[in-house]
């Protein structure tokens, strides 16, 4: 059912067709609760219930400002870090989560979590490598979070040459 509630972030929209529907589950929570909150699902074959944290259910939400960075250039066979810096600009505590999507040498995501209190800032780092990458190759990494997407690119440059001096 469409719900007219302001929800931070993007609605989950799968990039490929899935056999089961997925998306947001949104509901209003009163500021004061008469009993411990829970989520209950009644179905034809039974009922399921999950307890919810009273503090999380009634606390104000976090809000995020963030950026990603990486070195502009690296040498072949070098390990380097991709840094995601986030700040909680909301009124409630939360954990900023996301994934760095690798495209080299194979596609794979690496997740990160940054728990932050209101007004706090923090960083997460993800290790990457230019193993077997030829000079001139541009390595691109997509960063995906519930609040948006970003991309960083790293160019592989020739390894420095060293010359030996003899006296």
């Amino acid at each position: 059912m469409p719900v007219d509630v302001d929800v931070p972030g993007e609605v989950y929209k799968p990039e490929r067709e899935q056999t089961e529907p997925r998306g947001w589950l949104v509901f209003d929570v009163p500021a004061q609760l008469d009993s411990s909150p829970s989520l209950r699902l009644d179905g034809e074959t039974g009922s399921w219930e999950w307890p919810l944290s009273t503090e999380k259910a009634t606390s104000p939400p976090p809000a995020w400002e963030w950026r990603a960075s990486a070195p502009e250039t690296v040498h072949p066979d070098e390990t380097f870090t991709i840094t995601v810096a986030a700040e909680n600009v909301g009124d409630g505590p939360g954990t900023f989560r996301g994934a760095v999507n690798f495209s080299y040498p194979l596609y794979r995501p690496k997740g990160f979590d940054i728990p932050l209190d209101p007004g706090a800032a923090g960083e997460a780092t993800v290790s990457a490598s230019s193993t077997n990458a030829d000079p001139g190759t541009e390595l691109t990494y997509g960063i995906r979070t519930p609040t948006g997407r970003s991309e960083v690119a790293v160019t592989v440059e020739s390894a420095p040459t060293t010359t030996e001096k003899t006296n």
Side-chain angles (χ1 to χ4, degrees):
M1 293 285 279
V3 178
D4 192 21
V5 176
D6 185 25
V7 177
E10 298 176 17
V11 173
Y12 175 76
K13 293 179 184 174
E15 294 175 3
R16 59 180 166 56
E17 192 65 32
Q18 297 202 354
T19 56
E20 33 180 288
R22 296 176 182 219
W24 292 103
L25 175 61
V26 180
F27 49 91
D28 286 319
V29 176
Q32 291 188 337
L33 301 171
D34 296 330
S35 62
S36 295
S38 66
L39 176 61
R40 182 178 172 92
L41 177 63
D42 293 319
E44 293 177 16
T45 59
S47 296
W48 301 266
E49 190 165 351
W50 298 269
L52 300 176
S53 163
T54 303
E55 184 179 333
K56 287 182 181 178
T58 59
S59 69
W64 310 109
E65 288 182 4
W66 66 281
R67 63 180 166 68
S69 61
E72 289 183 25
T73 60
V74 295
H75 299 295
D77 301 319
E78 183 178 341
T79 299
F80 57 95
T81 58
I82 298 166
T83 303
V84 178
E87 181 180 1
N88 183 349
V89 295
D91 295 325
T95 301
F96 184 71
R97 292 185 169 94
V100 176
N101 293 318
F102 285 61
S103 60
Y104 179 88
L106 298 171
Y107 174 80
R108 69 170 186 212
K110 280 190 178 179
F112 60 85
D113 298 324
I114 309 171
L116 296 170
D117 288 328
E123 292 182 345
T125 58
V126 173
S127 292
S129 173
S130 59
T131 301
N132 298 323
D134 293 326
T137 302
E138 183 174 272
L139 308 175
T140 304
Y141 301 88
I143 296 86
R144 186 171 182 172
T145 74
T147 62
R149 298 178 188 190
S150 184
E151 194 173 87
V152 294
V154 178
T155 302
V156 180
E157 63 180 23
S158 297
T161 57
T162 58
T163 56
E164 257 185 58
K165 289 187 178 181
T166 54
N167 291 332

